[in-house]
Amino acid sequence: AYVARVNAENYCGFNDWRMPTKKELLSIVDKSRKKPAINTDYFPDVKSLLYPWFWSGSPLAGYPIGAWDVGFGYGDGDSYGRYNSRHVRLVRGGQ
């Protein structure tokens, strides 16, 4: 619903926003850093998050209400039920 709302509002002048895949989120992890394991020059908002977990659009096989998420505290991926709270970082364009 969030992605549909952002696209309907033509956020930043675009309407092709989508959830990133697990692979895309893991591609911005910086393992040389910890707490957060991400370049904070490009993603300064992550520094202020107590629990920097972000949802991916990648579903969890065999668990229809689950999805993969990425934690930028240490740069690890995990799976979780979609009924739990996580942050969202949208991306644009094709995969």
Side-chain angles (χ1 to χ4, degrees):
Y2 179 69
V3 174
R5 204 167 55 240
V6 166
N7 283 325
E9 293 173 6
N10 217 31
Y11 187 72
C12 294
F14 299 99
N15 62 2
D16 60 346
W17 296 98
R18 61 177 176 79
M19 294 288 291
T21 65
K22 176 185 171 190
K23 184 177 180 179
E24 288 172 322
L25 276 181
L26 286 171
S27 75
I28 61 174
V29 166
D30 183 346
K31 289 286 192 174
S32 71
R33 302 167 187 252
K34 297 286 182 240
K35 291 192 167 188
I38 192 170
N39 186 328
T40 55
D41 292 337
Y42 292 107
F43 303 100
D45 61 320
V46 178
K47 288 188 287 189
S48 65
L49 300 175
L50 184 57
Y51 300 106
W53 287 90
F54 286 79
W55 283 119
S56 80
S58 301
L60 185 60
Y63 187 53
I65 61 168
W68 288 99
D69 55 358
V70 172
F72 289 100
Y74 294 97
D76 50 340
D78 199 2
S79 57
Y80 218 49
R82 294 180 199 216
Y83 48 83
N84 291 289
S85 296
R86 292 287 189 254
H87 300 282
V88 174
R89 172 164 279 124
L90 300 181
V91 296
R92 293 186 48 241
Q95 294 182 24

